[in-house]
Amino acid sequence: MPGRPLSRRTTLGSALAAPLVLAACDIDPPPSDPTSSATPEPPEDAELVATVVAALVRARGVLEEALSAAPDLAPVLAPVADAHAAHLDVLVGAVPDSEVPTAPRPSLPPRPAAVLANVQRSEQRLLRTARTGCLDARSGDLARVLASVAASTSQHAAALTGSAG
Amino acid sequence: MSVLDALQETLAGEHAALYTYGVLGARTSQAATPDLYDALTAGYRRHRARRDRLRVLVEEAGGVPVAAAAAYELDGPLLRAAQVEAAAVTIEESSTEALLALVAQSVGPVREWALTEATWSATWQLELGGEARTWPGAPELG
């Protein structure tokens, strides 16, 4: 089947940065003051990526709290945490000078079933954010990456539902 | 690759998927493995609807929908339930990959439809015995 191979963050970063360069060439007149030190605009999808990164960080916080509240769930939750880490790695690297934000640790009930239900809700929320990001992305390559993030999140959410019995 | 190219390639893949699902269903006993039979039936119906939608999208994009081949080559004997499941997972993996390529080439309603279908194909793999992946449809990112 035809894929559109990307080489992780480098290519994705180029995909994000390219529209800014093209826009500068095609649209913008030369600056009247060449010594102007105005801060350049970020790539057009950078804000969108930041939103998905923040959602991933929030979901990671829920998972960490869940593992703390119910350590027996580790075999179920570890694959989800691994996927989030890989998604963060690619998306954070795609935006120059970006930093991983922090999220407040949520308070979860001590019962495993309730913990799992919280994680499931958190993953559904992340899925909606990734999906929205995919649909709004100007870069087709970024849209493809976010579509894969959404598909992975949906897979893991289904696996969590299966493990909940 | 244009959006029309991506639509045609996705449609060609759906023709193959439908053929393979038909073979898998024919080799699966509804009495002996009802859950697998139901999963294959649901998959066949989803891909049939997807093929029909793709034909419309190709025409709307100004193309002539690519036709199905008379037959498609299948891997292995596909006699045991585990072999049938593995083949069905492979169908969904291939569909996810093609649909993600369509996501990259499209915008608006076509991208939204492709995203929905890609997410379904990825998730349906678990019903067929597959596992959750980090980069479904884009394994080179892993």
Side-chain angles (χ1 to χ4, degrees), chain A residues 2 8 87 148 152 154-155, chain B residues 9 111 116 123 133-134 136 141:
Chain A
R8 293 175 63 82
H87 297 157
S148 188
S152 174
S154 179
Q155 283 184 328
Chain B
E9 290 198 19
R111 179 185 285 182
T116 298
T123 309
R133 306 285 181 189
T134 300
L141 291 169

Side-chain angles (χ1 to χ4, degrees), chain A residues 1-9 79 82-84 86-88 90-91 127 130-141 143-156 158-159, chain B residues 1 9-10 12-14 16 93-98 100-108 111-113 115-116 118-123 125-126 131-142:
Chain A
M1 285 293 177
R4 303 194 66 245
L6 285 176
S7 58
R8 293 175 63 82
R9 65 178 65 179
D82 291 345
H84 289 345
H87 297 157
L88 269 172
V90 168
L91 289 172
L127 173 58
R131 183 179 167 84
T132 300
C134 170
L135 297 178
D136 291 345
R138 300 286 296 272
S139 159
D141 286 335
R144 179 172 175 268
V145 170
L146 294 177
S148 188
V149 171
S152 174
T153 304
S154 179
Q155 283 184 328
H156 283 103
Chain B
M1 179 187 285
E9 290 198 19
T10 309
E14 289 303 316
E93 288 173 343
S94 296
S95 285
T96 304
E97 196 167 337
L100 256 61
L102 180 56
V103 164
Q105 295 300 322
S106 60
V107 294
R111 179 185 285 182
E112 184 171 10
W113 177 82
L115 172 60
T116 298
T119 303
W120 186 89
S121 273
T123 309
Q125 291 169 35
L126 274 68
E131 296 178 347
R133 306 285 181 189
T134 300
W135 296 109
E140 81 283 358
L141 291 169

Side-chain angles (χ1 to χ4, degrees), chain A residues 4 10 32 34 38 42 49 56-57 70 76 85 92 112 125 128 140 147 151 153 159 163:
Chain A
R4 303 194 66 245
T10 302
S32 56
V49 172
L56 279 163
V57 169
V76 175
V92 169
R125 188 174 160 193
R128 289 193 295 272
T153 304
S163 67

Side-chain angles (χ1 to χ4, degrees), chain B residues 8 13 16 19 33 36 38 40-41 59 77 105 115-116 132 134 140:
Chain B
Q8 292 280 38
Y19 177 91
T33 52
L36 176 57
D38 289 348
L40 294 175
T41 301
E59 289 174 347
Q105 295 300 322
L115 172 60
T116 298
T134 300
E140 81 283 358

Side-chain angles (χ1 to χ4, degrees), chain A residues 32-50:
Chain A
S32 56
D33 179 7
T35 63
S36 170
S37 60
T39 303
E41 291 291 322
E44 56 190 354
D45 281 331
E47 187 176 343
L48 180 154
V49 172

